[in-house]
């Protein structure tokens, strides 16, 4: 069974940093595009960043220059390094993968709270 588990969230002050991890089992992350999404209170889920199987990354405009997505295929894990965090970044961050045949697969999410 495919499982995605996010970790690394927490409470941080504005301007701080966090590193999120998405660890997968039952699926070879190396063969799939993996995306980080977030869902803020009262708002629709939105794409934050994604990384393809070849290592190409795409970012939402509001995180460019602040967030970096990367992957470690040996650990079957995708990371999201978040710097210069803002209060509006507060949300549940979720990991997603899949293609036309398999999935979509979602993790349970990890809470990120940016507050002074």
């Amino acid at each position: 069974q495919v499982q995605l588990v996010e970790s690394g969230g927490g409470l941080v002050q504005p301007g701080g940093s966090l590193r999120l991890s998405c660890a997968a089992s039952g699926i070879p992350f190396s063969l799939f595009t993996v995306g980080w999404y977030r869902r803020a209170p009262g708002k629709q889920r939105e794409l934050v960043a994604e990384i393809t199987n070849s290592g190409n990354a795409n970012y939402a405009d509001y995180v460019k220059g602040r967030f970096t997505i990367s992957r470690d295929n040996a650990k079957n894990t995708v990371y999201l390094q978040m710097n210069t965090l803002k209060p509006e970044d507060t949300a549940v961050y979720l990991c997603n993968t899949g293609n036309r045949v398999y999935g979509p697969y979602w993790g349970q999410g990890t809470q990120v709270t940016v507050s002074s």
Side-chain angles (χ1 to χ4, degrees), residues 1-6 22-29 32-34 76 95-99 101-108:
Q1 186 175 2
V2 175
Q3 293 186 19
L4 307 180
V5 180
E6 302 95 337
C22 175
S25 61
I27 188 171
F29 252 179
F32 292 84
T33 292
V34 180
N76 217 27
C95 186
N96 166 264
T97 193
N99 58 24
V101 179
Y102 303 100
Y105 304 108
W106 293 92
Q108 295 177 328

Side-chain angles (χ1 to χ4, degrees), residues 40-87:
K43 296 185 178 180
Q44 188 176 169
R45 184 176 60 204
E46 61 186 3
L47 177 66
V48 177
E50 63 180 7
I51 186 167
T52 70
N53 62 320
S54 60
N56 295 319
N58 299 299
Y59 300 92
D61 287 341
Y62 53 83
V63 304
K64 287 182 178 177
R66 298 192 297 125
F67 292 8
T68 302
I69 189 170
S70 62
R71 66 194 309 157
D72 185 338
N73 290 334
K75 296 181 178 180
N76 217 27
T77 300
V78 170
Y79 304 95
L80 184 67
Q81 178 67 47
M82 306 186 297
N83 299 325
T84 319
L85 284 162
K86 304 175 181 179

